[in-house]
Amino acid sequence: MQIRRTKIIATLGPATDSPEMLAAVIEAGADILRINLSHGTHKDQAARAAQVREVAGSLNKEVAILADLRGPKIRIERFVGGSVELQTGDAFTLDASDEPPPGTRSRVGVTYKGLAEDVSVGDLLLFDDGMLTMRVKEVKAKDIICEVEAGGELGDRKGINVQGGGLSLPGIAQHDIEDIPRAAAMGADYLAVSFPRNADDMNEARRRLREVGSEARVVAKIERTEAIRNAGRFMKEGKMDAVKLEGGREVVETVRAIIEAGIPVMGHIGL
């Protein structure tokens, strides 16, 4: 009999809130149930974790809970129509002001209000895991004026990265510091750290978990250019138990370092 080594992670949400649907997900083979701390209230998240234990127990199944930290917010805001189609050569402005209007085909707000201070003319910005790119042409106060280099559809809340790194915001945000004890209280078996810069961020997450009495394993979500570029050192010095690849085409070069470190790799398929 062949042993299945690949494990299945399923993300919980409103669609899985009924005990019947959750049971069906577990029966279908889910090994780890992910609770995204970016969505829902703290009460909702705790209720889902409690229901996982109850339903899994009634089925005599063992499943793990993965609490996924929100991480620092490095995303665009929402568009009027949900998305825009951009062509190579188009001018496009990122608005880092405090209250930007809904996005249009020529501009959109960003959640990270320090972006204008962190980028320079000539920087290449990567959106949606590098599927769409823009070159910074000018920075005026909170406006970052760009030219599209690789076009495509840009939708609400897509992530932003800077090729080569350089974003100054920390890998463990204040809301993550507050969420770690909540993840421990819900009995999470894994804690995923979003947008870590380096090994120090991972070690801080582990330390904070241990301080509140949790033995949960920590998962590094490799998304920021700094982590990708320094993958070898990241893997050696970061006390992580698994890695989740989130950087699209950029992360291919990190796979060798992950394998050499003997760290399990997580990925995802959008359905």
Side-chain angles (χ1 to χ4, degrees):
M1 179 178 177
Q2 185 174 7
I3 298 175
R4 176 166 67 89
R5 295 175 63 88
T6 300
K7 306 302 181 184
I8 298 173
I9 303 173
T11 298
L12 301 183
T16 58
D17 276 347
S18 72
E20 296 77 15
M21 181 57 72
L22 179 58
V25 170
I26 294 172
E27 290 277 34
D31 300 290
I32 300 174
L33 297 176
R34 172 177 173 261
I35 297 175
N36 188 346
L37 300 183
S38 295
H39 303 300
T41 65
H42 302 316
K43 183 178 179 180
D44 292 338
Q45 295 155 2
R48 285 178 182 139
Q51 185 166 254
V52 167
R53 300 304 187 202
E54 181 179 347
V55 173
S58 70
L59 297 172
N60 198 27
K61 298 275 190 179
E62 289 191 13
V63 295
I65 293 174
L66 184 151
D68 199 334
L69 292 177
R70 290 176 278 177
K73 297 179 180 180
I74 319 173
R75 300 185 183 278
I76 60 171
E77 296 283 10
R78 299 186 184 278
F79 291 97
V80 172
S83 66
V84 295
E85 189 71 28
L86 298 176
Q87 305 294 325
T88 299
D90 285 350
F92 195 82
T93 298
L94 300 172
D95 182 352
S97 63
D98 289 335
E99 296 184 5
T104 66
R105 198 178 179 282
S106 62
R107 65 188 296 123
V108 73
V110 295
T111 57
Y112 175 39
K113 303 309 177 184
L115 187 62
E117 288 73 45
D118 279 359
V119 300
S120 303
V121 172
D123 281 350
L124 185 67
L125 306 184
L126 314 174
F127 298 80
D128 193 11
D129 295 338
M131 299 303 293
L132 188 148
T133 64
M134 299 182 194
R135 185 77 61 179
V136 177
K137 293 296 182 181
E138 188 177 1
V139 180
K140 286 185 176 181
K142 290 292 184 177
D143 280 356
I144 304 154
I145 302 164
C146 306
E147 180 179 312
V148 177
E149 290 202 352
E153 183 180 12
L154 185 61
D156 291 347
R157 307 289 293 173
K158 292 300 183 183
I160 308 172
N161 215 331
V162 180
Q163 188 175 64
L167 295 177
S168 60
L169 76 175
I172 305 289
Q174 181 59 40
H175 52 243
D176 296 323
I177 293 173
E178 296 166 2
D179 280 342
I180 287 174
R182 297 187 184 109
M186 70 173 66
D189 302 289
Y190 292 89
L191 182 79
V193 180
S194 301
F195 294 103
R197 297 167 300 175
N198 49 41
D200 290 343
D201 290 334
M202 297 306 302
N203 295 334
E204 179 184 355
R206 183 182 292 273
R207 175 179 60 78
R208 290 184 180 276
L209 272 173
R210 301 298 180 259
E211 285 176 352
V212 293
S214 172
E215 292 299 320
R217 298 181 178 185
V218 293
V219 179
K221 294 173 66 177
I222 304 297
E223 301 173 84
R224 290 173 72 159
T225 302
E226 295 94 323
I228 295 169
R229 186 178 57 198
N230 299 307
R233 182 177 178 184
F234 193 108
M235 299 304 143
K236 291 177 182 177
E237 298 180 5
K239 296 178 181 178
M240 65 202 75
D241 300 291
V243 171
K244 190 170 188 291
L245 300 179
E246 297 278 348
R249 293 173 296 187
E250 276 201 309
V251 302
V252 174
E253 63 194 70
T254 72
V255 173
R256 182 183 298 276
I258 296 170
I259 292 173
E260 289 177 349
I263 299 173
V265 179
M266 297 179 179
H268 70 275
I269 300 173
L271 299 177

